[in-house]
Amino acid sequence: MPAVVIELAVPRRSCKLRGASVCDTLRERREVRAIRRRISRVYFDSLEETVKSLLQSLGKLNRPYLTAVEEKLLSLIEREYGLIDQSPQTHRQ
């Protein structure tokens, strides 16, 4: 199976310009990695085109978090493909 590249388009921002601490920047990076990991785990060639398009759209977000609706959609896909239990927020690693 060919490797799938999921790239979240989170702009690089200076902590000084944002008025944020280094911790905020590190937390954002961790959140981006977690989203990328979740998308990569569920993305494979035989997915339905609609699901692929949704995952690709989530991968192009310009922020380091998912909205409540985006989180529900990604969780639904993970549950549908058996990557998380039926209870919310129980991700398998």
Side-chain angles (χ1 to χ4, degrees):
M1 175 168 66
V4 176
V5 176
I6 304 295
E7 180 177 325
L8 292 177
V10 177
R12 298 229 181 251
R13 294 172 281 193
S14 166
C15 289
K16 185 176 180 182
L17 293 175
R18 287 184 60 216
S21 68
V22 174
C23 183
D24 289 338
T25 301
L26 293 174
R27 184 173 53 237
E28 286 178 356
R29 288 180 189 162
R30 277 189 234 116
E31 290 170 3
V32 167
R33 281 194 298 264
I35 294 168
R36 184 182 302 135
R37 186 172 39 252
R38 289 176 66 194
I39 293 170
S40 295
R41 282 185 13 213
V42 74
Y43 194 98
F44 52 93
D45 288 337
S46 61
L47 285 175
E48 297 171 30
E49 289 301 315
T50 306
V51 176
K52 283 183 184 180
S53 295
L54 175 64
L55 293 173
Q56 289 169 355
S57 293
L58 291 175
K60 293 178 183 177
L61 293 175
N62 197 18
R63 53 188 151 71
Y65 61 89
L66 298 175
T67 65
V69 172
E70 292 163 346
E71 175 62 39
K72 287 177 185 178
L73 289 169
L74 182 54
S75 294
L76 173 68
I77 293 168
E78 290 171 320
R79 276 193 303 278
E80 185 66 27
Y81 290 96
L83 294 174
I84 60 173
D85 296 331
Q86 295 302 313
S87 58
Q89 301 299 321
T90 310
H91 300 278
R92 292 183 191 162
Q93 293 295 328

